[in-house]
Amino acid sequence: MTRALALLMLGACNAPPVFATADPPQHVTSGLIEGNVVAVGPARGDVTLFLFDAERLPPPYGFGQPLTFATVKASALFSGDGGSGPFTAPFAFSLVAPGSYFIAGLVDANADFIPFYSVTAGTNAGDVSGGSVDPLTLAPNVIALKDVATKVGVSLGQAVPVDRPVFQVPGGAPSATVGSMGAVVQLQTVGIDEDVIHEPRPVFLAQLADDGVSLAWPKVVVRKIDKDNPLLDENDLDKNGVPDDPTKPSVVLAAGFDPTPIILQLVDGMGMPKKTPTAVGELTLIVRSQALDATDPSAPKMLPSVPAGNYAITVIDPTGQTWRVPNELAPAIAPTAGLPAHDSQGFVLQVQ
């Protein structure tokens, strides 16, 4: 009896065997994307870097949402002697699953970037933007993370010339109805420079397509929103750009801008489309009574009917700057968010 007890106690002192279980988190491989951010130019400020899935790139390349972000303090990047650089500092994204990625970033020269609200999570005039892009073409360079670590460079040197395309629908109506014949809605820029919102001189950057009869920029997305929270897109309540339920569509309405009222501003003396965008203050939005599934934005699929509900309007300038209505400045939301209320920022399109 005593011998058996002694053997049992001896066995208890030995380390138990360790092995992977069926718990999925124990089987997830993660790695590190690290490197140097390089900034050029006179602008100074903290840097924010955003990591994107390469299949869901951000504007102006696509409509993706960031997976995560990292920061680099201005004190770590910029020297105290002024000048235009280049200035370099290290950065890292940890616990990244193997895959293909893209990094976008900005120098917040205005010290007004707040990532928690759509109305403050963007660049405006004076900031500097960039990313893991080709230095000549500015095309995205895809980052392939295969296992443990990948080193990359991120370049920030594109001065942002304008504020974001903040807009309103003139007239003060809280909504407009998209009927069987669609809808025509005027969008007008409106400056907002109050509290933490600093967009005093917004513009639409308009440019004709090569065909000379349609607009290449800005682009517009009219997307169905959640019935309980107008800040969220239906079927994407976690805001990651991926449908929550892959069996349900990501509903958008067929829409585009009519260049006719502004076309004379967009052509040169020979009547040819200008090679660079032109700042304009008003656009005519044409919304059709036609719905599509934009789960794959590159290949939207026609839906048999137009789902009833509310829809948000998002305008995208060629700089990658965006503005969405409704947003956190809507009177029903602003007090809870601690932001100034603006009636025009609660506008929705309705399908009944």
Side-chain angles (χ1 to χ4, degrees):
M1 186 74 171
T2 303
R3 183 182 179 187
L5 180 60
L7 290 174
L8 180 60
M9 293 178 65
L10 180 62
C13 294
N14 294 334
V18 178
F19 56 91
T21 71
D23 185 19
Q26 294 194 30
H27 296 269
V28 174
T29 301
S30 62
L32 179 72
I33 296 177
E34 61 181 345
N36 286 313
V37 58
V38 180
V40 296
R44 300 290 186 270
D46 293 339
V47 169
T48 303
L49 302 175
F50 304 92
L51 185 68
F52 292 86
D53 187 319
E55 296 297 318
R56 293 182 289 276
L57 295 174
Y61 314 108
F63 307 100
Q65 298 291 330
L67 301 171
T68 186
F69 68 93
T71 59
V72 178
K73 300 297 291 183
S75 58
L77 177 60
F78 299 104
S79 65
D81 58 1
S84 297
F87 305 98
T88 65
F91 73 91
F93 289 100
S94 60
L95 300 177
V96 182
S100 297
Y101 299 94
F102 170 73
I103 297 174
L106 64 93
V107 177
D108 181 20
N110 303 313
D112 58 0
F113 176 83
I114 303 173
F116 309 110
Y117 307 113
S118 70
V119 292
T120 56
T123 58
N124 48 18
D127 290 338
V128 175
S129 64
S132 55
V133 298
D134 183 280
L136 296 179
T137 66
L138 301 183
N141 283 335
V142 173
I143 302 163
L145 177 62
K146 295 182 179 179
D147 40 45
V148 179
T150 295
K151 281 190 171 289
V152 297
V154 175
S155 176
L156 303 176
Q158 303 168 50
V160 179
V162 296
D163 286 332
R164 297 170 68 187
V166 183
F167 67 88
Q168 65 179 356
V169 175
S175 63
T177 300
V178 180
S180 60
M181 300 300 291
V184 178
V185 182
Q186 296 299 125
L187 304 187
Q188 184 181 78
T189 55
V190 56
I192 300 177
D193 192 4
E194 183 181 357
D195 203 277
V196 296
I197 316 300
H198 302 297
E199 307 289 348
R201 292 175 293 277
V203 296
F204 299 126
L205 293 177
Q207 186 174 14
L208 283 172
D210 292 338
D211 60 17
V213 295
S214 61
L215 280 187
W217 296 102
K219 299 186 184 302
V220 64
V221 179
V222 179
R223 189 180 299 273
K224 194 169 189 289
I225 56 180
D226 183 64
K227 61 183 178 62
D228 297 319
N229 188 338
L231 300 181
L232 301 178
D233 295 337
E234 184 185 65
N235 204 21
D236 187 19
L237 303 185
D238 56 6
K239 300 176 67 173
N240 68 352
V242 180
D244 300 330
D245 184 346
T247 67
K248 295 181 179 180
S250 296
V251 181
V252 300
L253 298 183
F257 291 119
D258 177 10
T260 306
I262 59 171
I263 197 164
L264 292 181
Q265 301 177 61
L266 309 183
V267 295
D268 59 22
M270 301 296 292
M272 301 298 293
K274 292 180 180 178
K275 300 299 183 183
T276 57
T278 298
V280 300
E282 192 163 350
L283 292 169
T284 301
L285 175 63
I286 308 296
V287 184
R288 299 177 184 172
S289 183
Q290 186 178 78
L292 304 101
D293 176 7
T295 298
D296 180 358
S298 65
K301 300 177 181 178
M302 195 80 67
L303 293 174
S305 60
V306 181
N310 290 342
Y311 290 75
I313 303 170
T314 301
V315 174
I316 306 167
D317 269 346
T319 54
Q321 295 166 289
T322 68
W323 194 262
R324 177 191 189 272
V325 169
N327 57 50
E328 296 94 342
L329 304 183
I333 302 170
T336 302
L339 297 173
H342 289 262
D343 290 341
S344 65
Q345 301 304 294
F347 182 88
V348 296
L349 288 173
Q350 293 183 329
V351 174
Q352 298 174 343

